[in-house]
Amino acid sequence: MKKLLHLISGFIAVGVAAAPVMAGYESYEAFAETDGYALFTVNNLWILLSAALVFIMHLGFSTLEAGLCQQKNTVNILFKNVFIISMGLLTYAFWGFNAMYPGFAEDSAGIFAMGSWFGVSNDDVSLMTDEYASYTWWTDFIFQGMFAATAATIVSGAVAERVKLSSFMIFVTILVMFAYPMAGSWKWGGGWLDAKGFYDFAGSSIVHAFGGFAALASVLLLGPRKGKYTKDGKIKPILGHSMPLATIGVFLLFLGWFGFNGGSVLSADPLLVSYVFCTTGLAAASGAIGAILVSWIVLKKPDLSMALNGILAGLVGITAGADVIGMGSSIIVGLIAGALVVFAILFFDKIKVDDPVGAISVHGVCGIWGTLAVGIFSADFSVGIQLLGTLTYAIFAFVFSFAVFGLIKAVMGIRVSAEEEFEGLDVGEHGQEAYPDFSVTSR
Amino acid sequence: MKKLLHLISGFIAVGVAAAPVMAGYESYEAFAETDGYALFTVNNLWILLSAALVFIMHLGFSTLEAGLCQQKNTVNILFKNVFIISMGLLTYAFWGFNAMYPGFAEDSAGIFAMGSWFGVSNDDVSLMTDEYASYTWWTDFIFQGMFAATAATIVSGAVAERVKLSSFMIFVTILVMFAYPMAGSWKWGGGWLDAKGFYDFAGSSIVHAFGGFAALASVLLLGPRKGKYTKDGKIKPILGHSMPLATIGVFLLFLGWFGFNGGSVLSADPLLVSYVFCTTGLAAASGAIGAILVSWIVLKKPDLSMALNGILAGLVGITAGADVIGMGSSIIVGLIAGALVVFAILFFDKIKVDDPVGAISVHGVCGIWGTLAVGIFSADFSVGIQLLGTLTYAIFAFVFSFAVFGLIKAVMGIRVSAEEEFEGLDVGEHGQEAYPDFSVTSR
Amino acid sequence: MKKLLHLISGFIAVGVAAAPVMAGYESYEAFAETDGYALFTVNNLWILLSAALVFIMHLGFSTLEAGLCQQKNTVNILFKNVFIISMGLLTYAFWGFNAMYPGFAEDSAGIFAMGSWFGVSNDDVSLMTDEYASYTWWTDFIFQGMFAATAATIVSGAVAERVKLSSFMIFVTILVMFAYPMAGSWKWGGGWLDAKGFYDFAGSSIVHAFGGFAALASVLLLGPRKGKYTKDGKIKPILGHSMPLATIGVFLLFLGWFGFNGGSVLSADPLLVSYVFCTTGLAAASGAIGAILVSWIVLKKPDLSMALNGILAGLVGITAGADVIGMGSSIIVGLIAGALVVFAILFFDKIKVDDPVGAISVHGVCGIWGTLAVGIFSADFSVGIQLLGTLTYAIFAFVFSFAVFGLIKAVMGIRVSAEEEFEGLDVGEHGQEAYPDFSVTSR
């Protein structure tokens, strides 16, 4: 029995006991005796901590999306987020990691990359190479795996309150397993966009615009929630059920972003990491102020949802250039993002693109803005190339999602029945209520 | 007055000003000038951060348990958790720490160890010895103190909604002060189980099976909640009152586990810590998928509570072997744990062991599974010894708890009155409601 | 267009590309090659992580204050906290940072310091000087900026449920921009109180007593909530609407305090940081136990709100001396703080100072206690000087707030109408409900 289990797990397992093949060192033990080991250890620790910080963003997304939706769909939203982080990590292990960081062959066009099981075999463990000079192979995996799941999570908020669970699960699994790593490889894997001089520090385009435009395609296929747009052309607001949950979500996302951006330095370099902390914090702060000002003027009252989305807008906006944009400029980038997100949310609502949490505006629109801002505020990069890159990600995510989710729609449907939508997906999909002890108002 | 206060606090106090006696160094200042100081500082920092991460698990337990219970017992559950972390740290200072890491005398059988105040006196401060090569004495205390309180917290969920507060407070104080450190010393203090070659990396048995079987004994003494099992043999589900709270709890526990397991490396060794992050993350992810699949098949609908418990099951399962089990195997360990926890919860419900949050299944059953998994998936350890060790912890926790909680039952009672149970412990024990502004449904 | 944007942002921006002028090194690159670089990197990393931990305290304050107030004012409280962290960071960038750490001229009395934009110009970037030996300029800013916003947040809880939003926003902006940095400079900027030998490690006075007495002045100007004190002299409790939110808040504040105090070591010194973690954790734990005991005796039942405030009281109490007070003494300091806070809350209620969250007691009273405790429990400091210092902060914060908030009161009013107060500030100030789906009880 034990032998059998060893055999089974042996195919895909590698023990830590295996002596890692070190680039330029005889062994790990020999490396640990060198002067560089302490610095390597700090660098590695910071990336691991960043992975933990990005992980907590998934709790942030969960509570933000749950808070901004109706109580009758709360269990469903939470379930989707639990599923995405779990499936995201597993698919990244089985395929995504090695697809995203492929080391394209020299004669490759840098477009298509194949994935494989991330756990290298005992015979050629190469935990540290010259390329991964500041952290181990495992550190790289867990940090990037947390990123991968983020892209998929962005979609879940936009399609909330009416998407069919099984169809969504299939769609995001494909999205996070195949589409995200391939697109990511174009820049971060050293592919064709990297070769063109495109710059996206921590993923305004690669993660956020990607997720935002995948969300847009999904929403177009899905249609708006029942009752959102009346026959006589009016827009009926469908309010979120818990502003404390939404606020918890945004604060946790803000916290996690210190790892999302700060970890993207890929070392603990004191100058760069602290610089990124400052630009990130200031852009988030000015994003909130921007959204508060604009919403106060446009909507007559200072709106908490808008302030929260303003923080996220500032964060998405600074993500592409957090290490190259000046401190003062980071405030401007955030302010514009915060203003932009308010108008974008109102715009998409007007054209009847029903996005319950504003994901398309926050991640899609501000993702593009942030990528362009690198070209605008840093003399080292071209606005044209930045535009090419961000449109590439937006269009690819849109087309891929439209095709795959459209296929799923044709085969098995992507929307729950009108009765289930009215009753709520919690009971319909899960047979479970989020708050069984409380009197709730049916809407 | 000031002199008097100095005198009083002098008995138990030691100032940082005291020059620590260094193993092999003339002084701390001399040590700080050496080449090894930077590495020591990173290692120490990581264990401190791990302590903070394990601390946040206590918030995770608080919200998970509160979410899975009825609203009328929410204040009570939160209060118990506030009490446990506080009393746990204090008793660990006064007794537990020095009981758990006793440095058994050579002629000792490694079974009984006496505790004492952890703060060494000014005259023989030995902050770093060869044994504590990667962190200070204080770091060790705070990290292990956070662990100690965890074991007690596991019990609080299982006995929720009917336990008498004062009796519970006495019981967990004894459990965390005397039982946990003594049992822990058998392995982590270098006692008899350590001598036998038993392996439990971060405590699948020492913390989780211990807590789970202490919970089982408590629940057997306490009996099920009123109305849970009807006279005609039916099981009436008593639903938790807030799935967002429960989900917040599990995400925070997942986050904290990176410190629970990652910190158990006892240094910031880049290879080991990153390896442990990966096995931990993958087992949690596959635990969720395992529980989702099984609950979908068995219960017909994908259940959020089960998915959440699946994450915890995967985490508990990988805890004993996170540093020695292969990456592929960690996914298998998690999958099995996730499936196991669903069946265990249904089983305990069937035999009328009423555990509102599933603590016995998650921590007890999966704690045993995880300990055995080390023997199964790693060639370096024996299944037999692992079985011996895990049963030792399960039986000891069960017998100790049954005796002590049984004695408390005989002397002062352990259960609230039927009226108080019906009315809720919030009003009965605390005179306080959790949600005074909301209309709640009495059940 | 691009050129114009560069010009605009150029006034206040500095790029990371600028080669930092290093104290004693030719360049950053040269410094990075030295033996000291790894240690510098750890130290810097810890202060950055501490900034992230202090940041999460703002979520803690948000949920604590929201939980302890009525549901009809929830959106308003959350909005205020989102605004404060955002505006706090921005004003600290534009003025506060350089006002607080002014490097007073030698002939200055160390009282008045002028602020300025924190981002030094390209020509004289001095990222590390001998004074900032353990972290970069940017690290210093983000860590201290998070502190600054904390002082303002303390006020927001005390004035909750009746303060006019716009007036409050103006007041806290002035408070955090001008008053806090100036007062802080007296000690942490090397000003006159520093010269007198006053000690306040992490801000029992500089942050907490400051915030608590600013709150007291605001509450006196504002008056109690309608219905809190009846005409026949009775005190009517106005209960908080969500104890889970309050509990989440306190656990997050406890977590963040490891960074608040631990980061105030200003390096990752293993001995000092771990020492501070222990005193901080033990004082929080004994604060809870103290408050539980006293509330059980005085109020007949163990009160969760009091236990939570006991944790905070212990934390505020140990903050001034976390690095110089002995382990045993830290438990005594916490115990006394925990007892003190219960009596203080009852006292302020009796004299009709209406503080919905107990901020004046927790931060004001225990801030003074903690500052005095340094003189009492550490032989190196004088009780008299500690008293002088803490009264200075309390009185300055009180007088400044009374003057400025009083002026705002005269000019534009500081209180919402009786109708709006009855209806709730969520609808009145924001046109938004916190929980639209739930049936709520009007009070």
Side-chain angles (χ1 to χ4, degrees):
Chain A
M1 177 64 187
K2 186 169 171 175
K3 211 169 168 184
L4 184 71
L5 274 163
H6 268 293
L7 202 72
I8 293 167
S9 71
F11 282 111
I12 49 168
V14 52
V16 73
V21 177
M22 305 284 304
Y25 296 99
E26 226 168 83
S27 67
Y28 186 73
E29 285 68 28
F31 172 59
E33 296 298 319
T34 63
D35 286 350
Y37 181 70
L39 184 59
F40 183 89
T41 304
V42 198
N43 287 332
N44 184 75
L45 178 61
W46 168 233
I47 310 304
L48 283 174
L49 291 167
S50 296
L53 286 166
V54 179
F55 167 77
I56 210 59
M57 291 173 69
H58 288 273
L59 175 56
F61 278 114
S62 303
T63 61
L64 171 63
E65 294 173 12
L68 292 182
C69 290
Q70 299 167 83
Q71 58 80 22
K72 64 185 178 184
N73 300 313
T74 303
V75 167
N76 183 251
I77 286 164
L78 298 171
F79 184 90
K80 286 193 294 184
N81 279 280
V82 167
F83 174 76
I84 287 171
I85 177 68
S86 302
M87 189 52 94
L89 282 180
L90 292 175
T91 56
Y92 210 67
F94 281 107
W95 179 271
F97 184 57
N98 280 340
M100 191 147 169
Y101 298 95
F104 288 109
E106 273 181 44
D107 57 346
S108 148
I111 296 175
F112 294 103
M114 294 295 289
S116 60
W117 169 247
F118 89 111
V120 280
S121 80
N122 274 4
D123 292 334
D124 66 340
V125 178
S126 175
L127 283 169
M128 273 145 296
T129 70
D130 291 336
E131 286 174 86
Y132 299 102
S134 295
Y135 42 86
T136 71
W137 177 268
W138 312 118
T139 299
D140 200 12
F141 167 75
I142 198 79
F143 180 61
Q144 300 297 348
M146 295 298 179
F147 264 65
T150 307
T153 293
I154 293 167
V155 180
S156 87
V159 298
E161 311 211 86
R162 75 274 204 202
V163 77
K164 194 173 155 186
L165 179 63
S166 52
S167 306
F168 176 78
M169 288 165 78
I170 294 168
F171 171 57
V172 289
T173 301
I174 295 170
L175 188 76
V176 74
M177 187 159 181
F178 299 109
Y180 171 79
M182 190 172 95
S185 76
W186 298 340
K187 166 63 192 163
W188 291 342
W192 71 275
L193 271 170
D194 193 49
K196 285 215 179 296
F198 174 63
Y199 194 71
D200 188 0
F201 173 60
S204 283
S205 285
I206 298 169
V207 178
H208 295 282
F210 179 91
F213 282 84
L216 178 60
S218 310
V219 166
L220 290 180
L221 285 165
L222 200 55
R225 289 167 291 175
K226 298 276 172 214
K228 173 77 187 171
Y229 305 109
T230 61
K231 280 178 190 168
D232 53 338
K234 280 190 188 148
I235 299 168
K236 202 188 126 207
I238 299 179
L239 302 169
H241 85 283
S242 172
M243 291 314 293
L245 275 184
T247 306
I248 289 173
V250 169
F251 269 96
L252 291 180
L253 284 162
F254 192 160
L255 173 72
W257 232 287
F258 286 120
F260 197 92
N261 284 1
S264 292
V265 169
L266 301 182
S267 81
D269 182 312
L271 190 57
L272 270 171
V273 178
S274 62
Y275 190 89
V276 166
F277 264 60
C278 289
T279 51
T280 302
L282 290 172
S286 63
I289 300 299
I292 288 172
L293 285 177
V294 171
S295 77
W296 210 326
I297 294 165
V298 174
L299 307 171
K300 309 298 175 218
K301 297 218 174 182
D303 189 278
L304 176 58
S305 324
M306 289 301 183
L308 295 174
N309 273 327
I311 288 180
L312 298 182
L315 289 166
V316 170
I318 201 63
T319 291
D323 64 333
V324 293
I325 284 178
M327 288 297 158
S329 307
S330 74
I331 293 176
I332 297 172
V333 168
L335 263 180
I336 293 174
L340 202 57
V341 81
V342 177
F343 292 116
I345 287 173
L346 297 175
F347 167 77
F348 281 115
D349 219 16
K350 203 164 188 179
I351 63 166
K352 302 192 178 172
V353 171
D354 183 21
D355 174 1
V357 304
I360 301 168
S361 304
V362 167
H363 301 278
V365 174
C366 294
I368 289 182
W369 159 239
T371 312
L372 295 180
V374 173
I376 297 168
F377 290 98
S378 169
D380 298 336
F381 301 98
S382 142
V383 177
I385 297 288
Q386 293 301 107
L387 186 64
L388 168 73
T390 195
L391 289 183
T392 300
Y393 281 102
I395 293 169
F396 173 73
F398 184 90
V399 171
F400 182 94
S401 300
F402 205 88
V404 173
F405 204 43
L407 187 70
I408 296 173
K409 183 177 181 176
V411 173
M412 59 188 281
I414 55 174
R415 189 160 177 147
V416 300
S417 69
E419 298 78 46
E420 183 175 334
E421 188 176 340
F422 178 76
E423 187 193 26
L425 278 67
D426 289 4
V427 170
E429 300 289 81
H430 306 276
Q432 225 176 352
E433 286 177 78
Y435 307 97
D437 285 4
F438 293 91
S439 305
V440 292
T441 315
S442 244
R443 287 193 302 204
Chain B
M1 178 63 187
K2 187 169 170 175
K3 210 169 168 185
L4 183 71
L5 274 164
H6 268 292
L7 202 72
I8 293 167
S9 72
F11 280 111
I12 48 167
V14 53
V16 73
V21 176
M22 304 287 304
Y25 296 98
E26 225 166 82
S27 67
Y28 186 73
E29 285 69 29
F31 173 58
E33 296 297 320
T34 63
D35 286 349
Y37 181 70
L39 184 59
F40 183 89
T41 304
V42 198
N43 286 332
N44 184 75
L45 179 60
W46 169 233
I47 309 304
L48 283 174
L49 291 168
S50 295
L53 286 167
V54 179
F55 168 77
I56 210 59
M57 291 173 69
H58 289 273
L59 175 55
F61 278 115
S62 303
T63 60
L64 171 62
E65 294 173 11
L68 292 182
C69 290
Q70 299 167 83
Q71 58 79 20
K72 65 185 177 182
N73 300 314
T74 303
V75 167
N76 183 250
I77 287 165
L78 298 171
F79 184 90
K80 287 193 295 184
N81 279 280
V82 167
F83 174 77
I84 287 171
I85 177 68
S86 302
M87 190 52 94
L89 281 180
L90 291 176
T91 56
Y92 209 69
F94 280 108
W95 178 270
F97 184 57
N98 279 340
M100 190 146 168
Y101 298 94
F104 287 110
E106 273 181 44
D107 57 346
S108 148
I111 295 174
F112 295 103
M114 295 294 288
S116 61
W117 169 247
F118 89 112
V120 280
S121 81
N122 274 4
D123 292 334
D124 66 340
V125 179
S126 175
L127 283 169
M128 275 145 293
T129 70
D130 292 336
E131 285 174 87
Y132 299 102
S134 296
Y135 42 86
T136 72
W137 176 269
W138 312 118
T139 300
D140 200 12
F141 166 75
I142 198 80
F143 180 61
Q144 300 297 347
M146 295 297 178
F147 264 65
T150 307
T153 293
I154 293 167
V155 180
S156 86
V159 298
E161 311 211 86
R162 75 274 205 203
V163 77
K164 193 173 157 185
L165 179 64
S166 52
S167 306
F168 176 77
M169 287 166 77
I170 293 168
F171 171 56
V172 290
T173 302
I174 295 170
L175 189 75
V176 74
M177 186 159 181
F178 300 110
Y180 170 79
M182 191 171 94
S185 76
W186 298 341
K187 167 63 191 162
W188 292 343
W192 70 275
L193 270 171
D194 193 48
K196 285 211 179 298
F198 174 64
Y199 194 72
D200 188 0
F201 173 60
S204 283
S205 285
I206 298 170
V207 178
H208 295 282
F210 178 92
F213 281 84
L216 178 60
S218 309
V219 166
L220 290 180
L221 285 165
L222 200 55
R225 289 166 291 174
K226 299 278 174 212
K228 172 78 186 167
Y229 306 109
T230 60
K231 278 177 191 169
D232 52 339
K234 279 192 187 145
I235 300 167
K236 201 190 125 203
I238 300 179
L239 302 170
H241 84 285
S242 172
M243 292 313 293
L245 274 184
T247 306
I248 289 173
V250 168
F251 269 96
L252 290 180
L253 284 162
F254 192 160
L255 173 72
W257 231 287
F258 286 120
F260 197 90
N261 284 1
S264 292
V265 169
L266 302 181
S267 81
D269 181 313
L271 189 57
L272 269 171
V273 178
S274 62
Y275 190 89
V276 166
F277 263 61
C278 289
T279 51
T280 301
L282 290 173
S286 62
I289 300 299
I292 288 172
L293 284 177
V294 171
S295 77
W296 211 326
I297 294 166
V298 174
L299 307 170
K300 309 299 176 217
K301 297 217 173 180
D303 189 279
L304 177 58
S305 325
M306 289 299 184
L308 295 174
N309 274 326
I311 287 180
L312 298 183
L315 289 165
V316 170
I318 200 63
T319 292
D323 64 332
V324 294
I325 285 179
M327 287 298 157
S329 307
S330 75
I331 294 176
I332 297 171
V333 168
L335 263 179
I336 293 174
L340 202 57
V341 81
V342 178
F343 291 117
I345 287 173
L346 296 175
F347 168 77
F348 282 116
D349 219 17
K350 202 164 187 180
I351 63 166
K352 302 191 177 174
V353 172
D354 183 20
D355 173 1
V357 304
I360 301 168
S361 303
V362 167
H363 301 279
V365 173
C366 294
I368 289 181
W369 159 239
T371 312
L372 296 179
V374 173
I376 297 168
F377 290 98
S378 168
D380 298 336
F381 301 99
S382 141
V383 177
I385 297 288
Q386 293 301 104
L387 186 64
L388 169 73
T390 195
L391 289 184
T392 299
Y393 281 101
I395 293 168
F396 173 74
F398 185 89
V399 171
F400 183 94
S401 300
F402 206 88
V404 172
F405 205 43
L407 187 70
I408 296 173
K409 182 176 181 176
V411 172
M412 59 188 284
I414 55 174
R415 187 158 179 148
V416 300
S417 70
E419 298 79 46
E420 183 173 334
E421 189 176 339
F422 178 75
E423 187 193 27
L425 278 69
D426 288 4
V427 170
E429 300 289 80
H430 306 276
Q432 225 175 352
E433 285 176 78
Y435 307 96
D437 284 3
F438 292 90
S439 305
V440 292
T441 315
S442 244
R443 289 192 304 203
Chain C
M1 178 63 186
K2 188 169 170 176
K3 208 168 170 185
L4 184 71
L5 273 163
H6 268 294
L7 203 71
I8 294 167
S9 72
F11 281 111
I12 48 168
V14 53
V16 73
V21 177
M22 304 285 305
Y25 295 98
E26 226 167 80
S27 68
Y28 186 73
E29 285 68 29
F31 173 59
E33 295 297 320
T34 63
D35 286 350
Y37 182 70
L39 184 59
F40 183 90
T41 304
V42 197
N43 287 332
N44 184 74
L45 179 60
W46 168 233
I47 309 305
L48 283 175
L49 291 168
S50 295
L53 285 166
V54 179
F55 167 77
I56 210 59
M57 291 173 69
H58 289 273
L59 175 55
F61 277 114
S62 303
T63 60
L64 171 63
E65 294 173 12
L68 293 182
C69 291
Q70 299 167 84
Q71 59 77 21
K72 65 185 178 184
N73 300 313
T74 303
V75 167
N76 182 250
I77 287 165
L78 298 172
F79 184 90
K80 286 193 295 182
N81 278 280
V82 167
F83 174 77
I84 287 170
I85 178 68
S86 303
M87 190 52 96
L89 282 180
L90 291 176
T91 56
Y92 210 68
F94 281 107
W95 178 272
F97 185 57
N98 279 341
M100 190 146 169
Y101 298 95
F104 286 110
E106 274 182 44
D107 57 346
S108 148
I111 294 174
F112 295 102
M114 294 295 288
S116 60
W117 169 247
F118 89 112
V120 281
S121 80
N122 274 4
D123 292 335
D124 66 340
V125 179
S126 174
L127 283 169
M128 275 145 295
T129 70
D130 291 337
E131 286 174 87
Y132 300 101
S134 295
Y135 42 85
T136 71
W137 177 269
W138 311 120
T139 300
D140 201 13
F141 166 75
I142 198 80
F143 180 62
Q144 300 297 348
M146 295 297 178
F147 264 65
T150 307
T153 293
I154 293 167
V155 180
S156 86
V159 299
E161 312 211 84
R162 74 273 205 203
V163 78
K164 193 173 157 184
L165 179 63
S166 52
S167 306
F168 176 78
M169 286 165 78
I170 293 167
F171 171 56
V172 289
T173 301
I174 295 171
L175 189 75
V176 74
M177 186 159 181
F178 300 109
Y180 170 80
M182 190 171 96
S185 76
W186 298 340
K187 167 63 192 163
W188 291 344
W192 70 275
L193 271 170
D194 193 49
K196 284 212 181 296
F198 174 64
Y199 194 71
D200 188 0
F201 173 60
S204 283
S205 285
I206 298 169
V207 178
H208 294 281
F210 178 92
F213 282 84
L216 178 60
S218 309
V219 166
L220 290 179
L221 285 165
L222 200 55
R225 289 166 291 175
K226 299 276 173 213
K228 172 79 186 168
Y229 306 108
T230 62
K231 279 178 188 166
D232 52 339
K234 279 189 188 148
I235 300 167
K236 201 189 126 207
I238 299 179
L239 302 170
H241 85 284
S242 172
M243 292 313 292
L245 274 184
T247 306
I248 288 173
V250 169
F251 269 96
L252 291 180
L253 284 162
F254 192 159
L255 173 72
W257 232 288
F258 286 120
F260 197 92
N261 284 2
S264 292
V265 169
L266 301 182
S267 81
D269 181 312
L271 190 57
L272 269 171
V273 179
S274 61
Y275 190 89
V276 166
F277 263 60
C278 289
T279 51
T280 301
L282 290 173
S286 62
I289 300 299
I292 288 172
L293 284 177
V294 171
S295 77
W296 210 328
I297 293 165
V298 173
L299 307 171
K300 309 299 175 216
K301 297 218 173 180
D303 189 279
L304 176 58
S305 325
M306 289 300 183
L308 295 175
N309 273 327
I311 288 179
L312 298 183
L315 289 165
V316 170
I318 200 62
T319 291
D323 64 332
V324 293
I325 284 179
M327 288 297 157
S329 307
S330 74
I331 294 176
I332 296 171
V333 168
L335 263 179
I336 293 175
L340 202 57
V341 81
V342 178
F343 292 118
I345 287 173
L346 297 175
F347 168 77
F348 282 115
D349 219 17
K350 203 165 186 178
I351 64 166
K352 302 191 178 174
V353 172
D354 183 20
D355 174 0
V357 305
I360 301 167
S361 303
V362 167
H363 301 278
V365 174
C366 293
I368 289 182
W369 158 239
T371 312
L372 296 180
V374 173
I376 297 168
F377 289 97
S378 168
D380 298 335
F381 301 98
S382 141
V383 177
I385 297 288
Q386 293 301 104
L387 186 64
L388 169 72
T390 195
L391 289 183
T392 300
Y393 282 102
I395 293 169
F396 173 74
F398 185 89
V399 171
F400 183 93
S401 300
F402 206 88
V404 173
F405 205 43
L407 187 70
I408 296 173
K409 184 177 180 175
V411 173
M412 60 187 282
I414 56 174
R415 188 159 177 146
V416 299
S417 69
E419 299 78 47
E420 182 174 334
E421 188 176 341
F422 178 76
E423 186 193 27
L425 278 68
D426 289 3
V427 170
E429 300 289 80
H430 305 275
Q432 223 175 354
E433 286 177 78
Y435 307 96
D437 284 3
F438 293 91
S439 305
V440 292
T441 315
S442 244
R443 288 193 304 203

